[in-house]
Amino acid sequence: MDNKTSRDPAMTDVAKLAGVSHQTVSRVLNDHPNVREQTRLRVRAAIQELGYRPNRAARALVTGKSQLIGVVAQNSTLYGPASLLAAFEEAAAGSGFSVSVGRVKVLDRASIAAAVERHRDQRVAGIVAIAPTASANDALADVPAGVPLVTIDGDPGRPTPLVTVDQAAGAFAATKHLLDVGHRTVWHVSGPADWFDAAGRVQGWQRALEAAGAEVPPVMAADWSAAAGYRAGQMLARMPEVTAVFASNDHLALGVLRAMSERGRRVPQDVSVVGFDDVPEAAYFIPPLTTVRPDFDAVAREALGLLLAQVSDGESAEPRRTIAPTLVSRESVAPPA
Amino acid sequence: MDNKTSRDPAMTDVAKLAGVSHQTVSRVLNDHPNVREQTRLRVRAAIQELGYRPNRAARALVTGKSQLIGVVAQNSTLYGPASLLAAFEEAAAGSGFSVSVGRVKVLDRASIAAAVERHRDQRVAGIVAIAPTASANDALADVPAGVPLVTIDGDPGRPTPLVTVDQAAGAFAATKHLLDVGHRTVWHVSGPADWFDAAGRVQGWQRALEAAGAEVPPVMAADWSAAAGYRAGQMLARMPEVTAVFASNDHLALGVLRAMSERGRRVPQDVSVVGFDDVPEAAYFIPPLTTVRPDFDAVAREALGLLLAQVSDGESAEPRRTIAPTLVSRESVAPPA
DNA sequence: GTCGATTATGTTAACGCTCACTTCATCGCC
DNA sequence: GGCGATGAAGTGAGCGTTAACATAATCGAC
């Protein structure tokens, strides 16, 4: 064995082996120009031979930036945020960044501020916040200007770099689909009012109704849970004039489905239902659910792009992206009886 | 404005303000003894005043360890792994650690090795792997001995630090519950054979049947999806002798529920169904699903504990923990007709 | 061939922290 | 009152990297 088994090889070790200075090794590592091809190869070989890996802490110390992106997200297993997070991690890994997740129980100012602080402690290169509520957005106002920040699903009315799913467009498509099939109007079970996602979907639904000259029934307010969908569904099931329901997400739709089933109202023969999110099980609900599928991968990619643009040049020209979702047609929609 | 607005305050700045040496500041920060109370207070005040935050990169550089824990997990939105991950992040944050997630598309040797490498690049303090398959486990054998490592849901037959849900106990309870209610035997729709979770659940199911002297029907093999559950359910629905089904997770159970419903077999009157995981929607399936709930928070806490023990003292005495799940009784179970 | 420009490489100094020492005071004890 | 032990600080080096500058080698052009 070596006499210093434990210490990882450092840049100087590589340099010695390759017969160059450590600075040249650094240049090779960072793809600087002005390194002779032959030297580059020699250094690469030495790196290989020693199993050298750059020490990111040292690099972070001197550059003041790490290869880490901090994500602030709600500590939930909601399908949307979870998928977004997974997609973002994958995209980041593709660009050589690691992702440090700062989950937050509730989206209030204090919690978010704390999560942001934790990330700044780590000297993250930038922060991505999944901030679907007004309070979460407000909290992000405290983030110092120097920190690159991209918001996902944030306040569409604010001029910060932002990527969102086009909630309104998705909701519009869902509602229009139901109207096109022949329903006179469409009821809506909405997500929590303080979520932009929910608000956007309400908006799209309403616009579609107005565009078709259909009556706009009162919104059934709920949270995102199947439980709330079930409660709303129980009310809707009792009203014979209800023939079409657009639920703000698939779990709400699931609750609606169950309520309808309990009251003997058949889906889709008596009532049509459309959801939002396209959770993997949606195709196996009873009946398979027609729903709106957001492209989380696209959202993640755009967010990463926007963030990295900020990290390097400071600012990007048009710092907001909107991703259009698509309608997925299954068996929960039929013409009214 | 200051002439050096941009630079964050460093330890020396605090030291100057408090009238001590930087080393004393360091001692205060790390709760070393041998600091006079009065000095400690003065330093704390200076820290407060300057808004000083220690530079983790610098600390990591000199200590060789970061306050980061690397997690290797599959890039899936399966409820179990996702919940586990969220719980772990929360537990880690509670101990002042950040979590860097290295998602992996497939649990093969190369991908896992790459994720581990990425984490080692970051000089993580330790690695937690959610490694529910044999191949994932094998890949972890490549992790060098010096790196603290805890496996979650890994190979129960291997002597590495390990935390698992007691799959067999959960499955046993589920199966026994069905037998106790009066069913002569219980059919099983299993998860993918190469997952330890699935294997453990098969084992517990079989033991319960054997303990009761019941016949052991052939296992219906599936993956974790509602789709596979649906396919298995279609077969089971056709067999009149099937009165009770234990599905290896809730999504499989959902598929079974739908297949039964399509074939006109009522749940629970004709067929009883039990799932595993207790996904949030399970209570809103049709009918509400009796299922087995693993305690993900407990798993996360134990895993963190095991990891930190390794980080500090090197090894822990009994490096394996098993967390018993609980049966959640709802309406999908009834005595046979 | 000599000169300025360009290209390739080396040298040195930070970055902000912890660790191993050293220093200086204080205190109890024979 | 001297002496070792203990407590409370300070000093200096070094962690592994990048940035800024200095230097050496190469080259085309007159």
Side-chain angles (χ1 to χ4, degrees):
Chain A
M1 316 285 173
D2 308 317
N3 49 356
K4 286 198 167 193
T5 338
S6 54
R7 199 178 123 272
D8 288 344
M11 211 175 243
T12 49
D13 301 318
V14 175
K16 205 173 301 169
L17 183 59
V20 297
S21 77
H22 66 117
Q23 176 61 348
T24 300
V25 177
S26 171
R27 281 194 263 259
V28 170
L29 247 41
N30 295 291
D31 286 324
H32 274 249
N34 300 358
V35 177
R36 223 187 330 163
E37 193 53 29
Q38 181 193 340
T39 314
R40 194 182 296 275
L41 257 42
R42 207 142 34 91
V43 169
R44 289 248 169 78
I47 288 176
Q48 200 67 15
E49 183 176 340
L50 263 55
Y52 164 77
R53 45 193 345 120
N55 184 324
R56 300 214 185 195
R59 180 186 310 207
L61 176 57
V62 62
T63 61
K65 290 283 171 216
S66 65
Q67 288 285 97
L68 248 191
I69 295 175
V71 174
V72 179
Q74 194 173 20
N75 187 1
S76 83
T77 49
L78 285 178
Y79 178 74
S83 306
L84 215 38
L85 187 55
F88 189 80
E89 277 164 3
E90 195 175 331
S95 298
F97 280 80
S98 292
V99 169
S100 166
V101 182
R103 304 246 190 180
V104 135
K105 271 222 178 69
V106 286
L107 291 169
D108 63 1
R109 197 159 194 137
S111 310
I112 292 195
V116 168
E117 288 304 281
R118 281 220 313 285
H119 283 141
R120 294 195 60 213
D121 271 0
Q122 307 249 3
R123 301 293 199 275
V124 293
I127 293 181
V128 171
I130 302 179
T133 68
S135 65
N137 251 254
D138 291 345
L140 293 174
D142 297 341
V143 176
V147 182
L149 172 69
V150 171
T151 307
I152 294 181
D153 278 352
D155 186 348
R158 208 178 284 191
T160 54
L162 176 73
V163 182
T164 43
V165 171
D166 193 338
Q167 314 289 355
F172 189 96
T175 309
K176 183 162 186 305
H177 177 56
L178 287 163
L179 294 172
D180 285 352
V181 167
H183 294 276
R184 307 188 53 151
T185 191
V186 176
W187 291 67
H188 181 49
V189 180
S190 128
D194 56 340
W195 282 57
F196 300 121
D197 308 42
R201 291 170 199 177
V202 169
Q203 214 172 78
W205 161 76
Q206 189 165 342
R207 272 198 218 129
L209 291 180
E210 284 164 356
E215 188 200 342
V216 180
V219 169
M220 313 287 290
D223 56 32
W224 293 122
S225 71
Y230 174 68
R231 284 191 297 271
Q234 282 181 315
M235 301 183 57
L236 293 170
R238 231 174 290 162
M239 302 159 64
E241 73 272 26
V242 174
T243 67
V245 178
F246 166 50
S248 202
N249 80 356
D250 288 354
H251 291 132
L252 287 170
L254 178 65
V256 171
L257 251 30
R258 177 153 109 79
M260 291 297 167
S261 144
E262 274 188 13
R263 295 255 164 197
R265 301 201 66 184
R266 293 164 305 159
V267 177
Q269 295 89 336
D270 303 329
V271 180
S272 291
V273 177
V274 176
F276 205 114
D277 271 356
D278 194 26
V279 302
E281 317 87 77
Y284 295 88
F285 286 178
I286 304 172
L289 186 69
T290 292
T291 186
V292 178
R293 186 211 316 253
D295 186 347
F296 295 119
D297 287 332
V299 172
R301 271 196 309 274
E302 292 292 344
L304 182 66
L306 247 40
L307 190 70
L308 295 186
Q310 275 186 75
V311 170
S312 44
D313 13 303
E315 211 61 31
S316 100
E318 173 46 81
R320 57 187 43 227
R321 298 291 141 79
T322 307
I323 309 295
T326 57
L327 186 73
V328 179
S329 203
R330 299 210 179 89
E331 298 161 30
S332 62
V333 173
Chain B
M1 313 285 174
D2 306 316
N3 48 359
K4 288 199 166 194
T5 338
S6 55
R7 202 177 120 272
D8 288 345
M11 210 173 243
T12 47
D13 300 318
V14 175
K16 208 173 298 170
L17 183 60
V20 297
S21 74
H22 65 117
Q23 175 60 356
T24 300
V25 177
S26 171
R27 280 194 264 259
V28 170
L29 247 41
N30 296 290
D31 286 324
H32 274 249
N34 301 358
V35 178
R36 227 185 327 163
E37 194 53 27
Q38 181 195 338
T39 314
R40 195 182 298 273
L41 256 41
R42 209 143 30 91
V43 170
R44 289 247 168 77
I47 288 176
Q48 200 68 15
E49 185 177 339
L50 287 152
Y52 165 78
R53 49 196 336 122
N55 184 321
R56 298 213 185 195
R59 182 189 307 212
L61 177 57
V62 61
T63 61
K65 291 280 170 217
S66 64
Q67 288 285 94
L68 250 191
I69 295 176
V71 173
V72 179
Q74 194 172 20
N75 187 0
S76 85
T77 49
L78 286 178
Y79 177 73
S83 307
L84 214 38
L85 189 53
F88 188 80
E89 277 162 4
E90 194 175 333
S95 298
F97 280 82
S98 291
V99 170
S100 165
V101 182
R103 303 247 191 181
V104 136
K105 271 225 177 69
V106 284
L107 290 169
D108 64 1
R109 196 158 195 138
S111 312
I112 293 194
V116 168
E117 289 304 282
R118 281 218 314 283
H119 282 142
R120 295 195 59 212
D121 271 359
Q122 307 246 7
R123 302 294 201 273
V124 294
I127 293 180
V128 171
I130 303 178
T133 69
S135 65
N137 251 254
D138 291 346
L140 293 173
D142 298 341
V143 176
V147 182
L149 172 69
V150 171
T151 308
I152 294 181
D153 278 353
D155 185 348
R158 211 179 281 191
T160 54
L162 176 73
V163 182
T164 44
V165 171
D166 194 338
Q167 313 289 356
F172 189 96
T175 309
K176 184 163 185 307
H177 177 56
L178 287 164
L179 293 171
D180 286 351
V181 168
H183 294 277
R184 307 189 50 153
T185 190
V186 176
W187 291 68
H188 180 49
V189 180
S190 128
D194 56 339
W195 282 57
F196 300 121
D197 307 44
R201 290 170 199 178
V202 169
Q203 214 173 78
W205 161 75
Q206 189 164 344
R207 273 200 217 125
L209 291 180
E210 284 164 356
E215 189 200 342
V216 180
V219 170
M220 313 287 291
D223 56 31
W224 293 121
S225 73
Y230 175 66
R231 284 191 297 271
Q234 283 183 312
M235 299 183 58
L236 293 169
R238 229 173 290 161
M239 301 160 65
E241 73 271 28
V242 173
T243 66
V245 179
F246 166 51
S248 203
N249 80 355
D250 287 355
H251 291 132
L252 287 170
L254 178 64
V256 170
L257 250 33
R258 177 152 109 79
M260 292 295 168
S261 145
E262 275 189 13
R263 297 253 162 197
R265 301 202 64 185
R266 294 163 304 160
V267 177
Q269 297 87 338
D270 303 328
V271 180
S272 291
V273 177
V274 176
F276 204 113
D277 270 356
D278 195 26
V279 302
E281 316 89 78
Y284 295 87
F285 287 177
I286 305 173
L289 186 69
T290 292
T291 187
V292 178
R293 185 211 316 251
D295 185 346
F296 295 118
D297 287 334
V299 172
R301 272 197 309 276
E302 292 292 346
L304 182 66
L306 247 40
L307 190 70
L308 295 186
Q310 275 186 73
V311 170
S312 46
D313 11 304
E315 212 60 33
S316 97
E318 173 45 80
R320 59 188 43 227
R321 298 289 142 78
T322 306
I323 310 295
T326 57
L327 187 72
V328 179
S329 207
R330 298 209 179 90
E331 296 161 33
S332 62
V333 173

